[in-house]
Amino acid sequence: MKRKIHRSKKSLPKSQTAKRREATSTKLDRCVADAILGIDTLWGGDVMNPSGMGRFLADCWFSDEPLPRAYTHPAAARLRETGGVSAKQPDHDTIHQYLDSVDIPGAIKTIAGEATRIGGMRGKYLEGLSLSLKVMWNLIQEILGKGAPVPYSECVLASIGISPEPSQPDEKRRRLKELLKSSGFDVSQNLMTAVDAWRAARLAPSRSAKMIADAFIAQLDALTVKNMLPYMPARLRTVPRSNIEFLLIENARFSGSMNYIGRARTSNNRSLYDATYEMNASLQISIPEFIHQVSHEVVPGHVTTYAYIQDLYIHGKVGFEATVQTMNTLSASLFEGIANNAILIAYGVKEVEELPSVDLQIGVLLSTLQDDGKNQSSYLTWQEKLPQKEVADTIRRDFLLSEERADKLSGAWGRHPLLGRMCLPAYRAGTELIAQARRKFDPEKILPLIYSCNGLMDLSILREIVK
């Protein structure tokens, strides 16, 4: 029996409606690229830099599309080199030259208009994205002295979808105290002292971080296969969830940075879903906290989330906006929530007390307390307008942070005009909403939803579903 041969047919002329749709989509994609990379560039970020030392707001560019004018303009390289508007002495001539050529407000306006026209879930996603970008643009104008100070409440609403509020650490502290006492630590005098002693007895050797991380990734991936994959679409089950290289960096400004690359390809042009994780060589962290960090950054946390979104884009299930994710958005807050709940997702449980060991429960409580402390640093700095030392002392005492973490979160991060007002509240808000959603819905419904299998998800869209 002869095999039927499928021969290519001559393409039929496109209808006027199809041409208009294609042109509109191309225009929207171009505006998304210009708006996000334009704002990223103005803040000194470089999405094509493989290191977190060079990146800032834009998290990825894996579409294989040509980079937009917002990135390739001659002035953009100078802004990336000098730190943009957040530099100690911004290069105003270069900033003005750049803004004369790249229409960022116009791009944001187009995104907002297309959000209304498109409607549905994608329209809501684009609406949230345009709001976040508008606030980040207004913050740039504030720094340049061309606009009024942006209210703190507007920044937080654009980032997490609800008004600012202080963290409530009491229940986590109570549970932590019980667990430490059951492990033989004296908590009668000072809980911070007991936590320091617990950490000191379980420190991870930073120089062996890669070796330890590889072992934990294998363990967490096996748990993910068992407890998460059965609820995911069949096609995604074969997507590499943890193709990551761990790197140690000396004198990094961060404790760790996951850099999703997504540009490596096989010889037949298939994506390898690649990422790196840069870890501060001087970071002091306990083994249980490190397990939580690996689940947060890798599997089934950030690397898994980004790999799934890349695959969904490759198969035409989500739009171009999926390929250029950015911090300080409603989707970024959702991703942080997934990542902080990743250890529970991997083990197939809904509550910290269901994890299989006391040490792991302590590690997760300490990790999430730190993220509660990030929100508190933001709130005390920008809502209550407290001085840095008072903020640092408060978050160290109440959220059990190390001195190094308390200093960075109250200083370099907390008082940063953008990160302090938009980024720091994201972790707590995302964590709490994802936990709430997982308690309310069965895994077969909620897991595909939060990993964007039904369309790009963000915190406000999920909040409407959970209500």
Side-chain angles (χ1 to χ4, degrees):
M1 181 178 176
K2 290 185 178 180
R3 176 179 293 178
K4 187 176 180 180
I5 298 176
H6 295 274
R7 303 185 186 277
S8 61
K9 296 179 180 179
K10 186 176 181 181
S11 298
L12 295 174
K14 291 182 180 178
S15 68
Q16 290 300 313
T17 299
K19 288 180 179 178
R20 282 198 299 271
R21 285 176 179 170
E22 185 177 271
T24 300
S25 177
T26 301
K27 181 181 180 182
L28 171 61
D29 295 351
R30 184 171 63 249
C31 287
V32 167
D34 274 337
I36 293 177
L37 295 193
I39 288 175
D40 185 44
T41 298
L42 284 167
W43 286 98
D46 182 359
V47 72
M48 299 305 285
N49 192 315
S51 171
M53 297 291 284
R55 293 186 178 194
F56 189 43
L57 298 179
D59 280 338
C60 53
W61 182 271
F62 53 68
S63 66
D64 292 334
E65 294 293 329
L67 285 158
R69 183 168 176 77
Y71 186 92
T72 60
H73 188 277
R78 175 64 179 165
L79 290 175
R80 291 190 288 267
E81 179 186 348
T82 60
V85 298
S86 56
K88 290 183 178 179
Q89 294 183 327
D91 184 342
H92 290 279
D93 288 343
T94 302
I95 291 170
H96 293 151
Q97 180 187 349
Y98 183 76
L99 292 178
D100 284 342
S101 300
V102 181
D103 183 10
I104 294 173
I108 296 172
K109 185 177 181 180
T110 296
I111 297 170
E114 285 300 293
T116 301
R117 186 189 66 81
I118 292 169
M121 186 172 175
R122 187 185 184 198
K124 289 180 180 178
Y125 180 94
L126 289 168
E127 179 184 2
L129 175 62
S130 67
L131 175 60
S132 173
L133 293 171
K134 183 178 179 180
V135 170
M136 287 191 273
W137 168 257
N138 289 341
L139 286 168
I140 291 170
Q141 300 309 296
E142 174 188 311
I143 289 175
L144 294 176
K146 294 184 175 182
V150 182
Y152 176 56
S153 58
E154 286 187 17
C155 297
V156 176
L157 276 168
S159 175
I160 67 173
I162 56 175
S163 298
E165 60 182 18
S167 299
Q168 305 294 337
D170 291 349
E171 177 56 27
K172 287 176 185 171
R173 287 172 57 88
R174 183 197 65 76
R175 180 59 181 151
L176 192 60
K177 193 172 183 178
E178 288 179 352
L179 293 172
L180 287 167
K181 185 176 180 180
S182 72
S183 300
F185 290 87
D186 182 8
V187 295
S188 61
Q189 300 298 320
N190 189 317
L191 187 55
M192 188 75 250
T193 301
V195 168
D196 288 343
W198 179 87
R199 279 195 179 115
R202 292 159 176 78
L203 279 182
S206 62
R207 297 295 172 182
S208 300
K210 181 180 177 354
M211 185 183 301
I212 299 171
D214 286 346
F216 288 149
I217 288 170
Q219 177 188 0
L220 289 162
D221 192 61
L223 287 167
T224 300
V225 168
K226 176 183 177 183
N227 294 314
M228 187 179 99
L229 256 60
Y231 307 112
M232 302 301 287
R235 188 190 68 255
L236 291 180
R237 296 174 193 175
T238 59
V239 172
R241 296 171 294 276
S242 55
N243 183 13
I244 192 166
E245 180 183 6
F246 263 69
L247 307 168
L248 282 181
I249 293 189
E250 302 286 349
N251 303 316
R253 64 174 181 268
F254 43 72
S255 59
S257 173
M258 192 286 288
N259 312 304
Y260 192 78
I261 312 297
R263 292 193 292 273
R265 303 288 186 266
T266 64
S267 57
N268 58 352
N269 205 36
R270 290 190 176 182
S271 176
L272 294 175
Y273 307 93
D274 53 311
T276 64
Y277 184 73
E278 297 170 313
M279 183 174 174
N280 193 326
S282 62
L283 181 67
Q284 291 189 336
I285 188 171
S286 70
I287 290 286
E289 289 170 288
F290 190 48
I291 298 173
H292 179 270
Q293 187 172 3
V294 171
S295 72
H296 178 113
E297 302 290 354
V298 187
V299 59
H302 285 320
V303 176
T304 301
T305 303
Y306 276 72
Y308 283 171
I309 287 176
Q310 181 169 11
D311 194 75
L312 289 164
Y313 171 73
I314 290 170
H315 288 89
K317 303 298 183 182
V318 292
F320 171 80
E321 59 272 14
T323 71
V324 57
Q325 293 290 330
T326 184
M327 292 171 62
N328 308 324
T329 59
L330 294 164
S331 58
S333 298
L334 177 90
F335 295 163
E336 294 301 339
I338 294 172
N340 267 347
N341 283 274
I343 191 76
L344 304 179
I345 294 171
Y347 277 95
V349 300
K350 295 183 178 181
E351 307 297 342
V352 174
E353 53 264 31
E354 297 177 80
L355 290 170
S357 76
V358 168
D359 264 5
L360 188 54
Q361 292 176 34
I362 292 173
V364 173
L365 285 170
L366 287 172
S367 297
T368 52
L369 266 172
Q370 175 171 276
D371 285 342
D372 289 347
K374 292 175 182 177
N375 176 72
Q376 193 74 351
S377 174
S378 174
Y379 188 86
L380 295 178
T381 300
W382 295 96
Q383 181 75 19
E384 301 295 333
K385 303 189 184 306
L386 298 182
Q388 182 189 350
K389 186 178 187 311
E390 188 171 346
V391 175
D393 290 346
T394 300
I395 61 175
R396 171 156 167 75
R397 179 190 67 241
D398 294 347
F399 299 88
L400 305 170
L401 304 184
S402 68
E403 289 185 3
E404 179 268 336
R405 287 282 82 198
D407 178 69
K408 278 190 171 60
L409 294 179
S410 64
W413 279 69
R415 307 190 94 75
H416 189 282
L418 176 62
L419 300 180
R421 284 184 272 187
M422 295 190 75
C423 179
L424 289 187
Y427 302 86
R428 170 182 173 269
T431 301
E432 292 187 351
L433 187 59
I434 292 290
Q436 184 183 351
R438 292 187 66 243
R439 292 184 190 111
K440 183 170 183 176
F441 299 109
D442 292 334
E444 58 264 28
K445 177 175 181 178
I446 197 59
L447 289 176
L449 196 68
I450 63 176
Y451 282 95
S452 292
C453 299
N454 303 328
L456 282 179
M457 179 60 60
D458 69 27
L459 215 60
S460 284
I461 298 171
L462 181 61
R463 191 173 285 114
E464 287 298 311
I465 294 170
V466 171
K467 278 200 312 188

